Amino acid sequence: MKYRGYSDFSHGQTDRIGVLVTNLGTPDAPDTPSLRRYLKEFLADPRVVEVPRALWWLILNGVILRIRPKRSAAAYKTVWTEQGSPLLFHTQEQAKQLQKSLAEEYGDDVVVRFAMRYGSPAMSDVIDEMLQSGVRKLVLFPLYPQYSGATSGSTFDALAQEFMQRRWLPDFRFISHYHDDAGYIDACAQQIESFWQQHGRPQKLIFSYHGVPKKYLTQGDPYHCECHKTSRLIAERLDLGKDDYLTTFQSRFGREEWLQPYTDETLKALPDAGVKNVQVFCPGFSADCLETIEEIGEENREYFAEAGGEHYAYIPALNSTVEHINALTAIVKRELKGWSLDHDETARQRRAAARQQHYGELNNPDEST
């Protein structure tokens, strides 16, 4: 096997620490060809769909990719902006603000970049750029508060596959979840409280999380438990009683049973139970995207209204709020503990020059005698 290196690698560059934040991904454009490419990469991941590969290949290529791209493209058009995909520009802004926040303590020693698990910018390309720029220690930070094999696990798979092909491996740390992190919980609570100050409180607060097949839970995936813990901690922070909120799961796909209760069915049933004023918040989504803006903000609003609901509101995701960036910063700083950062620029440059001189002597032995 030929391992990936660099033909013009500079051994004299300054070592840095890298923080790579990632999210699920997005198509390049809200059109059918872009959605077909994106969905093919996404749905072909065995972490996402645990079906025998040969059977799934036939279903995916023979049925799904012939039908779903056009439908998904129509949905993406409703949320697309001049900046492009909401998930893309929100994640980009989160990385930008995280870089600024970390620079207050670490200066240029820490480099923050962002990538998508599926689509662009691809993890492989961004990791390549980071390693070339001198990153020798890397923190991978998937922005999924609750761990699932289909999200955080898949992200780790992609990184492992990437490193298996590389000549020089950095020191590495992986943030697999932060569902009960105090800063994250507080950021969620403050986002909700801020919304209440402007729009009032509902009869029922719905915490809606992306669903996964129920079999993942029975086989040991902690996602369901972590979602419920997040809901409980936010509710406690808001001083809510057990009857004041619900935890539900959205975005199911296919015919098998997924985690319940389902968000859409819950919203259809609540008006008959006398609950006609609800607000929905999605703690598992670090940034607004198709599933929050269109599915929760529009589609489920219609379900609730058609069932007799009177007041419905979607509380935006954390995105780049100050509280969210502060929480992410604190999490990264904890991961950086134990990794020395030399703030003496003169000493760093001296060591880099020595490495470059040593490299030159190895390649020109006659000049070193």
Side-chain angles (χ1 to χ4, degrees):
M1 179 176 179
K2 184 177 181 180
Y3 294 98
R4 293 171 59 184
Y6 308 101
S7 59
D8 57 348
F9 183 82
S10 172
H11 286 264
Q13 61 189 332
T14 301
D15 291 351
R16 287 185 169 85
I17 291 176
V19 178
L20 177 59
V21 296
T22 67
N23 217 313
L24 188 73
T26 179
D28 295 324
D31 56 43
T32 301
S34 297
L35 262 299
R36 183 173 289 111
R37 289 193 299 272
Y38 171 72
L39 290 173
K40 185 173 184 178
E41 181 183 8
F42 172 48
L43 295 176
D45 187 343
R47 283 275 200 179
V48 174
V49 181
E50 295 185 21
V51 173
R53 292 295 91 189
L55 174 61
W56 181 241
W57 188 94
L58 292 173
I59 297 173
L60 178 61
N61 292 278
V63 180
I64 295 175
L65 292 180
R66 295 176 182 270
I67 300 172
R68 192 168 180 184
K70 184 176 181 180
R71 295 177 181 174
S72 296
Y76 269 100
K77 286 179 181 178
T78 67
V79 303
W80 215 260
T81 72
E82 292 182 356
Q83 297 171 278
S85 161
L87 182 63
L88 181 66
F89 68 71
H90 281 309
T91 307
Q92 183 177 29
E93 183 64 20
Q94 288 167 338
K96 178 181 177 182
Q97 294 303 322
L98 182 58
Q99 175 77 81
K100 289 183 178 180
S101 181
L102 291 170
E104 294 177 4
E105 180 172 345
Y106 303 112
D108 295 334
D109 290 336
V110 175
V111 177
V112 181
R113 296 291 185 269
F114 81 98
M116 295 296 176
R117 173 62 182 90
Y118 314 101
S120 299
M123 286 179 59
S124 178
D125 294 339
V126 178
I127 290 172
D128 194 64
E129 181 267 325
M130 295 179 80
L131 296 184
Q132 286 203 64
S133 69
V135 168
R136 295 293 164 259
K137 294 180 172 65
L138 178 66
V139 176
L140 182 60
F141 194 177
L143 296 182
Y144 308 122
Q146 298 77 25
Y147 175 90
S148 173
T151 53
S152 303
S154 175
T155 304
F156 180 83
D157 290 350
L159 184 80
Q161 186 174 18
E162 180 71 20
F163 282 175
M164 286 174 63
Q165 303 173 35
R166 291 191 174 274
R167 186 168 299 282
W168 189 347
L169 304 182
D171 292 345
F172 168 66
R173 290 176 181 174
F174 180 74
I175 300 173
S176 63
H177 61 173
Y178 53 101
H179 68 288
D180 56 357
D181 174 79
Y184 156 71
I185 295 298
D186 194 58
C188 290
Q190 289 190 56
Q191 182 77 340
I192 295 169
E193 288 176 328
S194 177
F195 192 87
W196 285 352
Q197 289 173 6
Q198 299 180 48
H199 304 280
R201 296 168 66 118
Q203 280 180 272
K204 190 85 71 175
L205 178 63
I206 311 294
F207 294 117
S208 182
Y209 299 83
H210 199 291
V212 298
K214 183 179 179 180
K215 67 181 180 183
Y216 295 1
L217 167 64
T218 60
Q219 293 173 356
D221 194 297
Y223 179 73
H224 178 266
C225 303
E226 294 191 356
C227 290
H228 277 278
K229 185 175 184 180
T230 295
S231 295
R232 176 176 59 79
L233 292 174
I234 297 174
E236 290 175 355
R237 166 65 173 74
L238 295 171
D239 197 26
L240 296 179
K242 292 183 178 180
D243 294 332
D244 296 328
Y245 71 96
L246 287 171
T247 294
T248 64
F249 298 90
Q250 64 185 82
S251 310
R252 65 186 184 277
F253 174 74
R255 297 180 179 179
E256 70 176 302
E257 182 180 0
W258 282 40
L259 296 180
Q260 295 192 40
Y262 300 138
T263 300
D264 54 358
E265 293 186 0
T266 298
L267 289 167
K268 292 174 184 178
L270 282 175
D272 284 342
V275 179
K276 298 189 177 184
N277 182 348
V278 303
Q279 292 173 2
V280 185
F281 181 62
C282 300
F285 293 85
S286 60
D288 276 316
C289 56
L290 180 70
E291 286 79 4
T292 62
I293 300 171
E294 194 274 337
E295 183 180 355
I296 296 300
E298 300 299 331
E299 182 181 336
N300 281 274
R301 178 194 302 274
E302 294 177 3
Y303 293 149
F304 186 67
E306 290 171 358
E310 297 174 357
H311 300 285
Y312 179 98
Y314 165 64
I315 302 174
L318 295 179
N319 296 321
S320 297
T321 62
V322 172
E323 295 78 14
H324 191 205
I325 299 303
N326 288 343
L328 299 181
T329 301
I331 293 170
V332 170
K333 283 184 176 180
R334 287 200 298 269
E335 292 298 323
L336 294 181
K337 288 182 178 180
W339 275 355
S340 60
L341 291 166
D342 192 342
H343 296 281
D344 186 338
E345 184 62 25
T346 301
R348 289 179 5 151
Q349 291 178 353
R350 188 182 302 118
R351 284 196 301 274
R355 274 204 310 266
Q356 186 64 31
Q357 180 181 1
H358 175 67
Y359 177 70
E361 291 171 353
L362 289 175
N363 286 274
N364 300 281
D366 292 340
E367 297 179 10
S368 63
T369 57

